[in-house]
Amino acid sequence: MGSKILDKSYDPHPVEEKWYRYWMEGDFFRADPFSDRKPYSIVIPPPNVTGVLHIGHALNNTLQDILIRFKRMEGFNVLWMPGTDHAGIATQNVVEKQLLEEGMDRHRLGREKFIERVWKWKEQSGGTIINQLKKLGASCDWSRERFTMDEGLSEAVKEVFIRLYHEGLIYRSHYIINWCPRCQTALSDLEVEHQELPGKLYYLKYLFQGKDRFLVVATTRPETLLGDTAVAVHPEDDRYRSFIGETVLLPILGRAIPVIADPYVDREFGTGCLKITPAHDFNDFEIGLKHGLPQIKVIDEEGRMKEEAGPYRGMDRFECRKKILEDLEREGLLLKVEDYSHKVGHCYRCKTIVEPNLSLQWFVRMKPLAEPAIEAVRRGRTRIIPSLWEKTYFEWMENIKDWCISRQIWWGHRIPAWYCQSCGETMVGKKEPPSCLKCGSTALRAETDVLDTWFSSALWPFSTMGWPEETPELKVFYPTSVLVTGFDILFFWVARMMMMGIKFMGDVPFRDVYIHGLVRDERGEKYSKTRGNVLDPLDLIQRYGADALRFTLAALTMPGSDIKLSEARTEGYRHFVNKIWNASRFVLMNLEEFDPEEIFKIYPPEEYSLPDRWIRARLNRTIRGVRQALEEYKFNEATHLLYQFTWHEYCDWYLELVKPYLYQTSDEKRKILTQKNLFETLDILLRLLHPFMPFVTEELWQRLLVRKPKESIMVAPYPEPEDRFDEGPWMREMEWVIEVITALRNVRGEMNLPPGERIDVLLRTEEEAKIEERVQRNQIFIEALARVKELRIGKDLRRPPCSAFVQVQEAEIFIPMDPSRMESEKRRLQKEIAKVEKEIAFVSRKLSNEQFLAKAPPEVVSEEKSKVADYQLLKSKLEENLRRVQEALG
RNA sequence: AGGCGGAUAGCUCAGUGGGAAGAGCGCCGGCCUUACAAGCCGGAGGUCGCAGGUUCAAUCCCUGUUCCGCCUACCA
């Protein structure tokens, strides 16, 4: 049937090209909101629009594609919603860098021109990552591709903002926030990465007014003292109790500030005196509010010292630190310096050290949104898999803080707010009001801030489906079936989608959340450009093929742990792909004269040969295992089952067992049935493998089914176990044959008999008739696979003087050999005896333990007993044979 | 500081409701046996981090401990 002989090895690239185009042209990825089949949907975690595919994307999308292809083949109405994220700060930074290279900057360019420029960059590079996903084989419905700054999605963003504002869940307030002096914007708590850095702890003298007494405070940031408005001590600290309410003079500036008491102060740390800088420290801010302290900003938005910093004005904050230390030293106010390692916050986009700063920003009140999202997971309306992440989710959600959503950048969704310049009224709405709703003034000023990029991401599961319109897509595909993502964005994204989904759709956004690990390099380090260890998935596809890469990623994915990608593994799976290619090549070669009509005939299982039935039973078992593993998101288990079955059962045994029937028999019916089974099993196997390796399976399947109407393996049914081919007692015969062949090969291998050298085999058994029949039925296999010249069976067969011995179930096997080989047979037997003796010793020790006999379950005891008996018998046989060998050796 | 995860063959990692452990790669020996040398056949290699405990029996359960990694946190 196969019209053309396949090449000897698989060349992935032309095949990948060809079939991806075929799938696209055939519209196989398209989801149908009007279908009456059961829906299955996934929204892609949208990659940054200007990004390039990295190995983490490759993993994430491979897993999604496996699930999607599996479900599609199972007959579900499948939607995989693709799209990209505008990635506010990240994208803006990239374009700013480009401008810098041109000797330009965004302020000189102006806001409008700059945004135009970003759009241009988006148009230019926005297709890159999408094309890379296609190279991976991702079967997204590309006709639905969305972008977070699309018109529709922007509409959803506005709608959500406005509704939340009117419900009082969004507010604007002066508050201390994390500020990135490089990106020139506020950041949310999550956008700050804490990193342990070596630093110093400085002990500073604060003198009392008019007296020569002083307090000593310890600080890591001496430059912030310029903004100090108090010194705090613990109210019950006897060392300082008497000073509470007094006034100290701030060094350098000489400002008088009070000594206050607050239980927040840790008496054990430093000196027990804490300087309070409400405008530049989160805790100090809270304490300041409590005590009604003034908030003095001394650092500006660029990280430079302000007017209020007096002599240091205009200096960079770190330069100022140096300078102020010199000055303090000179004035004798720097008492001592200690090494001190502490965590410092960095901007997650540009890695600059962030500056806590007082600022007017927009916030989302999170508690009321978080509560139902906690409830949903607690009640199992959304499952988090593996469940260990639930704990992390709960912990964060239960301690959630308000979310600072305004960003002082230009690239993003403009906050839809306007301020009246006469009366100060704030107005929020879809469009700019013609005049102030309160005082009627027409002097309005539009908000210039944009929203945190994660604000629009939080709406992704429903905004992509057309919300706030009531679309058929929403009706059918929301809630989505599963979200596949890494734990690094559990809070950034998953938690916020949960909150927004419940809030605006009245239902959770997904039934399952599958959390996979991060991909790390062989040494377990995170991939990063700065470490220079980036592994480019496209390069891996280039060298090994997309199927091999996908299979590797799936095989390395176990719930709850990170992945260390090893290229050796990918190479191994490229071999596996090639193995499948060649197995198919073999099958196709043998189907050349196969009558296609046979495909549609059905024979009872009894008419199939023993190897046929055996492989079908094994295949059934594999199908069950793979299906279950996929349902449970156990990707490594699924790939393991597929690998073991395909290579070690189908190729190593079945395809070998079948050869005698194909090449040696004159029994036409036998041959036809064998061919039929080859056809059927390969068809099933390819379909079973397809979600994992879509390209090679499509190519082979199309060649196998060359006379069938061409559609695609993508939409062929996913294999189901066939009960009629399930295991039965007859399986034991096949297992026995395999045992005999293995035993014979064992001897051959240990003695280094080349395959060309055929052996005679004598089989001595007590159950002559039974074994004789059995052997007769299977002689053809044993002879072919163990390279046997002549096989004799008998109860009274005599052991030839020069022969190797091996024991199998119900029979002893002798292989006559040249006397020159007796020396190695002796060594082999001695080794075997030693092994058996070790086993006997171990089991006997157990059996001589009375406690064991008394307390262990009887079936365990009897099992051990029969084990030791078997070993003893085997040992005596081995010894007997060893004696004979020694005799022969003289 | 709190929480979580890991420690199993030379390397990367599976595994078990407790009855002396598996894969891939690597290594050693023999083979171009008409699908595949990206292959075939055979083999070697592990006191399952350390110390206790529970049990007839622990790699697996419990306690403690060391090392590694990660996450969260307001000790300056």
Side-chain angles (χ1 to χ4, degrees):
Chain A
M1 273 190 65
S3 55
K4 253 189 242 163
I5 300 284
L6 271 57
D7 290 339
K8 251 180 127 169
S9 64
Y10 174 57
D11 179 11
H13 304 111
V15 170
E16 290 172 9
E17 274 279 335
K18 177 174 67 177
W19 293 112
Y20 205 87
R21 195 175 331 112
Y22 176 85
W23 295 330
M24 289 291 279
E25 283 165 6
D27 227 7
F28 288 105
F29 302 158
R30 190 182 288 274
D32 176 7
F34 302 105
S35 158
D36 51 10
R37 284 173 298 146
K38 273 178 74 181
Y40 184 89
S41 54
I42 297 182
V43 291
I44 203 170
N48 293 358
V49 66
T50 59
V52 290
L53 194 79
H54 60 64
I55 198 79
H57 294 125
L59 168 69
N60 178 250
N61 289 288
T62 294
L63 300 184
Q64 291 176 76
D65 196 47
I66 289 170
L67 293 173
I68 281 287
R69 285 180 185 270
F70 167 51
K71 291 293 173 180
R72 189 185 287 119
M73 289 176 79
E74 267 201 309
F76 283 82
N77 176 25
V78 156
L79 166 64
W80 188 9
M81 175 72 79
T84 50
D85 191 272
H86 67 281
I89 301 174
T91 306
Q92 170 154 335
N93 282 353
V94 171
V95 177
E96 279 192 66
K97 217 173 271 174
Q98 292 173 358
L99 287 178
L100 198 70
E101 275 164 27
E102 298 163 21
M104 196 23 111
D105 72 75
R106 74 172 156 120
H107 296 284
R108 276 200 287 155
L109 196 62
R111 183 163 185 152
E112 247 171 73
K113 281 260 161 47
F114 179 77
I115 290 176
E116 244 172 65
R117 174 75 191 243
V118 182
W119 274 106
K120 228 163 83 193
W121 167 240
K122 183 252 170 193
E123 296 312 327
Q124 201 179 83
S125 69
T128 306
I129 196 154
I130 297 299
N131 285 323
Q132 292 172 325
L133 285 172
K134 292 177 179 174
K135 290 249 184 307
L136 239 200
S139 60
C140 303
D141 182 351
W142 297 112
S143 70
R144 296 175 180 279
E145 188 185 332
R146 294 290 186 273
F147 175 52
T148 48
M149 297 243 295
D150 275 354
E151 212 177 307
L153 273 68
S154 300
E155 204 51 37
V157 166
K158 257 188 233 168
E159 181 78 23
V160 164
F161 184 93
I162 293 163
R163 285 205 211 169
L164 289 175
Y165 178 79
H166 289 308
E167 281 187 51
L169 291 173
I170 282 182
Y171 63 92
R172 190 170 182 239
S173 166
H174 279 283
Y175 207 83
I176 186 157
I177 44 87
N178 295 290
W179 182 270
C180 175
R182 220 276 336 146
C183 302
Q184 293 273 309
T185 180
L187 299 171
S188 69
D189 301 338
L190 283 177
E191 289 169 308
V192 176
E193 287 175 354
H194 294 274
Q195 202 191 336
E196 186 94 24
L197 283 182
K200 307 266 187 216
L201 192 57
Y202 304 95
Y203 288 77
L204 312 179
K205 267 180 171 174
Y206 282 33
L207 302 170
F208 280 97
Q209 192 151 27
K211 300 173 191 162
D212 50 4
R213 290 177 301 141
F214 57 85
L215 286 178
V216 178
V217 302
T219 180
T220 53
R221 301 197 56 199
E223 71 279 12
T224 61
L225 75 81
L226 301 166
D228 281 5
T229 52
V231 170
V233 297
H234 195 279
E236 278 143 44
D237 191 334
D238 291 336
R239 291 173 296 176
Y240 305 116
R241 209 200 286 260
S242 61
F243 299 121
I244 297 167
E246 287 200 52
T247 303
V248 288
L249 293 177
L250 202 55
I252 316 276
L253 296 182
R255 183 163 67 233
I257 56 173
V259 179
I260 60 168
D262 196 291
Y264 166 76
V265 178
D266 179 355
R267 279 171 280 185
E268 310 300 315
F269 190 89
T271 59
C273 295
L274 174 62
K275 62 191 267 317
I276 303 296
T277 324
H280 296 291
D281 184 281
F282 285 87
N283 305 310
D284 294 5
F285 179 81
E286 297 294 341
I287 293 172
L289 284 184
K290 218 160 105 190
H291 296 268
L293 299 173
Q295 301 160 334
I296 304 175
K297 270 177 79 164
V298 291
I299 303 171
D300 72 8
E301 276 60 40
E302 289 175 50
R304 294 184 177 279
M305 306 314 289
K306 298 181 48 174
E307 280 300 313
E308 288 78 354
Y312 305 98
R313 110 178 58 98
M315 279 187 194
D316 174 79
R317 53 192 168 145
F318 298 112
E319 192 189 331
C320 172
R321 179 181 302 174
K322 238 188 264 167
K323 188 71 186 17
I324 204 168
L325 284 168
E326 282 171 23
D327 296 345
L328 289 166
E329 172 100 72
R330 188 165 346 101
E331 294 187 26
L333 297 176
L334 179 59
L335 262 185
K336 65 170 173 176
V337 182
E338 281 174 357
D339 284 329
Y340 184 70
S341 168
H342 62 140
K343 296 241 181 177
V344 181
H346 295 72
C347 169
Y348 83 137
R349 286 306 180 201
C350 74
K351 312 299 173 196
T352 303
I353 294 180
V354 299
E355 186 59 50
N357 218 336
L358 195 62
S359 169
L360 181 57
Q361 302 288 346
W362 291 89
F363 296 87
V364 178
R365 212 179 294 285
M366 298 301 269
K367 273 234 147 48
L369 293 167
E371 271 156 22
I374 294 169
E375 227 9 60
V377 173
R378 203 152 265 146
R379 295 235 180 125
R381 282 167 59 210
T382 292
R383 293 193 303 161
I384 299 183
I385 300 152
S387 58
L388 67 98
W389 290 108
E390 279 182 7
K391 206 175 164 179
T392 314
Y393 173 86
F394 289 137
E395 202 134 317
W396 188 74
M397 288 291 241
E398 278 158 9
N399 299 304
I400 201 158
K401 281 185 241 148
D402 284 357
W403 174 16
C404 174
I405 49 169
S406 43
R407 298 287 177 274
Q408 288 66 47
I409 56 171
W410 291 347
W411 176 241
H413 300 278
R414 254 327 241 277
I415 290 178
W418 291 266
Y419 309 106
C420 173
Q421 289 182 299
S422 323
C423 74
E425 177 71 357
T426 299
M427 284 151 280
V428 164
K430 292 225 160 154
K431 276 193 230 139
E432 177 170 4
S435 59
C436 176
L437 301 173
K438 196 171 165 195
C439 73
S441 159
T442 50
L444 299 184
R445 188 174 55 79
E447 172 62 86
T448 52
D449 287 0
V450 301
L451 287 164
D452 182 357
T453 227
W454 295 101
F455 191 90
S456 54
S457 312
L459 320 180
W460 189 249
F462 52 93
S463 64
T464 50
M465 296 189 199
W467 191 90
E469 304 290 311
E470 281 180 31
T471 61
E473 281 81 358
L474 281 169
K475 205 168 281 168
V476 172
F477 294 114
Y478 190 98
T480 62
S481 310
V482 59
L483 178 81
V484 179
T485 189
F487 62 81
D488 51 330
I489 49 176
L490 183 60
F491 306 141
F492 272 113
W493 194 45
V494 182
R496 287 164 178 169
M497 281 191 287
M498 285 292 289
M499 294 187 261
M500 293 300 192
I502 294 169
K503 174 78 187 164
F504 291 97
M505 290 297 298
D507 199 352
V508 294
F510 10 77
R511 295 279 168 239
D512 288 350
V513 176
Y514 176 73
I515 307 272
H516 59 246
L518 261 40
V519 185
R520 297 169 188 281
D521 71 6
E522 276 127 319
R523 291 200 306 276
E525 299 211 44
K526 217 166 156 171
Y527 284 100
S528 73
K529 277 181 202 147
T530 44
R531 283 199 182 86
N533 60 352
V534 282
L535 240 190
D536 179 4
L538 292 163
D539 178 51
L540 292 172
I541 289 174
Q542 184 61 37
R543 285 188 289 142
Y544 302 108
D547 291 328
L549 175 63
R550 290 170 59 112
F551 207 81
T552 309
L553 292 167
L556 292 173
T557 297
M558 24 259 163
S561 58
D562 283 348
I563 291 171
K564 278 185 227 164
L565 188 64
S566 77
E567 224 178 290
R569 203 70 188 258
T570 311
E571 197 179 340
Y573 289 126
R574 180 185 60 170
H575 297 174
F576 180 50
V577 174
N578 194 53
K579 188 74 178 173
I580 293 164
W581 178 263
N582 273 291
S584 306
R585 180 168 182 255
F586 171 80
V587 172
L588 288 168
M589 279 167 62
N590 283 290
L591 289 182
E592 292 205 353
E593 299 151 25
F594 181 53
D595 174 6
E597 285 308 304
E598 284 293 336
I599 292 170
F600 305 102
K601 288 191 192 153
I602 291 180
Y603 298 88
E606 301 77 51
E607 290 195 31
Y608 283 78
S609 69
L610 183 61
D612 286 346
R613 297 184 71 187
W614 173 77
I615 200 66
R616 297 296 284 249
R618 300 302 304 168
L619 185 52
N620 271 357
R621 188 179 275 265
T622 307
I623 291 167
R624 290 198 179 91
V626 170
R627 279 178 161 274
Q628 195 187 337
L630 282 176
E631 293 293 351
E632 294 170 359
Y633 305 104
K634 292 180 179 167
F635 296 95
N636 64 324
E637 216 170 287
T639 52
H640 183 76
L641 288 169
L642 288 167
Y643 188 95
Q644 290 304 317
F645 174 81
T646 306
W647 201 311
H648 298 305
E649 297 191 295
Y650 193 68
C651 292
D652 286 353
W653 285 104
Y654 179 64
L655 295 187
E656 295 303 321
L657 287 163
V658 124
K659 283 177 184 173
Y661 280 157
L662 293 171
Y663 302 141
Q664 289 169 30
T665 185
S666 49
D667 180 345
E668 269 308 301
K669 174 97 186 273
R670 185 79 288 145
K671 192 169 171 181
I672 287 169
L673 265 165
T674 301
Q675 287 173 319
K676 184 173 167 58
N677 197 53
L678 279 174
F679 174 87
E680 287 172 349
T681 48
L682 184 62
D683 168 41
I684 295 169
L685 182 58
L686 290 172
R687 284 187 279 126
L688 198 59
L689 284 162
H690 178 261
F692 302 86
M693 17 181 88
F695 295 110
V696 72
T697 49
E698 180 77 283
E699 171 73 16
L700 293 168
W701 194 76
Q702 294 280 350
R703 289 181 187 251
L704 181 68
L705 298 186
V706 73
R707 301 241 176 115
K708 266 193 163 181
K710 275 205 189 181
E711 37 175 24
S712 169
I713 192 172
M714 275 191 58
V715 290
Y718 203 67
E720 292 188 59
E722 297 168 279
D723 296 344
R724 67 193 187 109
F725 283 115
D726 263 336
E727 301 177 9
W730 50 267
M731 285 290 276
R732 292 195 41 209
E733 181 161 319
M734 191 70 239
E735 281 153 15
W736 187 82
V737 171
I738 288 175
E739 189 196 349
V740 170
I741 293 167
T742 306
L744 293 172
R745 281 174 170 177
N746 209 308
V747 172
R748 296 187 65 111
E750 297 255 325
M751 303 236 178
N752 284 338
L753 287 187
E757 198 171 321
R758 296 202 161 249
I759 52 174
D760 288 332
V761 171
L762 286 83
L763 226 142
R764 185 160 76 190
T765 173
E766 294 299 314
E767 302 181 71
E768 196 174 331
K770 179 174 142 197
I771 298 294
E772 174 129 38
E773 256 180 69
R774 187 191 290 168
V775 167
Q776 229 155 42
R777 283 195 298 266
N778 299 291
Q779 191 155 358
I780 193 168
F781 308 126
I782 298 171
E783 285 180 354
L785 272 65
R787 318 224 122 229
V788 171
K789 186 162 49 181
E790 199 189 338
L791 205 159
R792 277 188 295 151
I793 305 150
K795 195 160 109 183
D796 305 313
L797 280 173
R798 291 204 43 202
R799 178 190 181 283
C802 280
S803 64
F805 163 78
V806 58
Q807 175 77 45
V808 296
Q809 292 280 313
E810 300 169 284
E812 295 164 276
I813 295 176
F814 303 105
I815 304 151
M817 264 181 202
D818 190 85
S820 65
R821 296 199 188 270
M822 284 304 97
E823 203 48 66
S824 53
E825 170 65 0
K826 187 177 121 189
R827 278 197 303 276
R828 197 183 64 83
L829 288 172
Q830 282 167 337
K831 210 170 79 184
E832 289 295 306
I833 289 167
K835 232 191 264 178
V836 173
E837 277 174 344
K838 243 170 99 182
E839 293 294 332
I840 291 172
F842 175 69
V843 182
S844 311
R845 201 176 316 134
K846 259 192 195 177
L847 287 170
S848 62
N849 181 345
E850 280 178 35
Q851 296 285 345
F852 171 73
L853 296 175
K855 294 192 179 171
E859 60 274 17
V860 173
V861 175
S862 68
E863 199 184 311
E864 296 296 315
K865 277 184 178 162
S866 78
K867 218 194 269 178
V868 82
D870 288 350
Y871 282 136
Q872 237 126 27
L873 186 64
L874 177 58
K875 186 187 164 194
S876 67
K877 283 185 185 172
L878 287 165
E879 281 169 343
E880 156 82 17
N881 279 280
L882 179 60
R883 247 194 325 277
R884 299 294 190 81
V885 168
Q886 276 164 337
E887 277 166 26
L889 282 167

